[in-house]
Amino acid sequence: MCAAAATAPLLTGCGNADEPRVTAAEPSAPGTATATAPPRRTTRDQAERKALIQANEIPWDKAAGTAVAGVRAGRLTEIELGWARPTVAGPGAGPRTPEWDTAVAAPDGTLHTVRVDAVSGQVTESRVDPGQDQDDKRELTARLAAATVTPRQAADTATGRTKGTGTALQLDDAVWSVDVVTTGDRNRTTYDVDARTGKVVRRHVDRD
């Protein structure tokens, strides 16, 4: 009788010589290559996010503070990292410059567009948004009054769940929408954080 053992499938079977024999697999010879999954291709958007973050030297909160300081009693409603518009056309315009494009609301709801250089930290443009009417201003004022969660709190909630760089934040209706780009794969994760409770109500990962 063959003694039963937990490792029986890996051992030579005993009994009738006509029965199939199960043997252990041969170990790979030293230096033999093993099959591995091919590395994941970096998309154009991922490469662009990487280049943008590497060029940036000013964190979002510092840029936001600079922008808000230029509008009396202003409140941040939006900020996004992007490439500054070239001032000179043609291939000799030089390297691209990152900038923070922000929207800051005055107490009466008047929206100001403020651009902050993401290398020097200086304001490069500040102007009143010409597309607003009185209804737009009243709606924005009401939205800000209802938002008890600050931009900082919303950003901390997002980066607390996904480690990476905050690249955009916007007050959209009753939520703060926050973008976080992870360091390794450069995917962008968007969190919608309830502007009243601070709870995450939606999470979406962009792997392109």
Side-chain angles (χ1 to χ4, degrees), residues 120-197:
S120 68
Q122 301 299 310
V123 173
T124 58
E125 181 182 5
S126 181
R127 59 180 176 82
V128 174
D129 187 343
Q132 280 186 297
D133 58 25
Q134 290 302 316
D135 287 339
D136 293 332
K137 294 179 181 180
R138 281 192 291 269
E139 180 182 348
L140 181 57
T141 301
R143 191 185 310 165
L144 285 167
T148 56
V149 174
T150 67
R152 160 63 72 186
Q153 290 169 332
D156 286 349
T157 296
T159 55
R161 296 190 175 212
T162 297
K163 301 303 180 184
T165 303
T167 60
L169 183 147
Q170 179 182 7
L171 181 61
D172 185 9
D173 292 332
V175 300
W176 286 106
S177 181
V178 185
D179 287 350
V180 181
V181 175
T182 47
T183 302
D185 52 25
R186 304 297 177 179
N187 289 337
R188 178 177 61 202
T189 303
T190 301
Y191 287 95
D192 285 348
V193 181
D194 191 296
R196 297 181 180 88
T197 66

